[in-house]
Amino acid sequence: QVQLVESGGGLVHPGGSLRLSCAASGFTFSNYAMHWYRQAAGKERELVASITSTGDTTYYADSVKGRFTISRDSAKNTVYLQMNSLKLEDTAVYLCKAARTRGYMNVYWGQGTQVTVSS
């Protein structure tokens, strides 16, 4: 059974930090690029950060560049999103996605975890 189990969301003050985790199982983790999306109330889902299957390349949305870091741990089959200097506008449901397009297309989504930045 494929699972993407997220943890680490919660309530934080502006300027604070959180680390989101997404633990993968049921598929070959090393074959999948990993992505973090977020969806704020009333807005479209947006891509926040990506990391290639090998971890060689990362991508960040302009809005989080310099504040967020995506990483992956092959031994734990887990992808992380370290979020520093959090702002009110970072408040959203954050979702983990695994995707591969080479050979065959396959996409898995996590359930989403709420991050609330509040003063």
Side-chain angles (χ1 to χ4, degrees), residues 19-23 29 32-36 49-60 68-74 76-83 96-97:
R19 189 177 75 158
L20 305 183
S21 299
C22 176
F29 183 72
Y32 285 72
M34 300 297 295
H35 313 265
W36 287 99
S50 299
I51 187 166
T52 55
S53 60
T54 60
D56 290 341
T57 306
T58 57
Y59 161 84
Y60 300 96
F68 290 11
T69 303
I70 189 170
S71 61
R72 62 193 297 157
D73 186 335
S74 60
K76 295 182 177 180
N77 286 356
T78 299
V79 64
Y80 303 96
L81 186 68
Q82 179 67 47
M83 305 186 295
C96 177
K97 185 179 84 172

Side-chain angles (χ1 to χ4, degrees), residues 38 46-48 60-65 67-68 87 90:
R38 69 185 181 188
E46 64 174 338
L47 179 63
V48 175
Y60 300 96
D62 288 344
S63 58
V64 308
K65 199 169 296 180
R67 300 187 297 120
F68 290 11
K87 304 174 179 180
D90 295 320

Side-chain angles (χ1 to χ4, degrees), residues 6-10 20-21 36 92-96 110-116:
E6 298 168 319
S7 61
L20 305 183
S21 299
W36 287 99
V93 174
Y94 284 72
L95 304 104
C96 177
Q111 80 288 349
T113 186
Q114 178 70 45
V115 171
T116 302

Side-chain angles (χ1 to χ4, degrees), residues 96-117:
C96 177
K97 185 179 84 172
R100 64 166 290 161
T101 57
R102 197 167 192 170
Y104 61 92
M105 190 273 286
N106 215 359
V107 178
Y108 303 114
W109 286 91
Q111 80 288 349
T113 186
Q114 178 70 45
V115 171
T116 302
V117 184

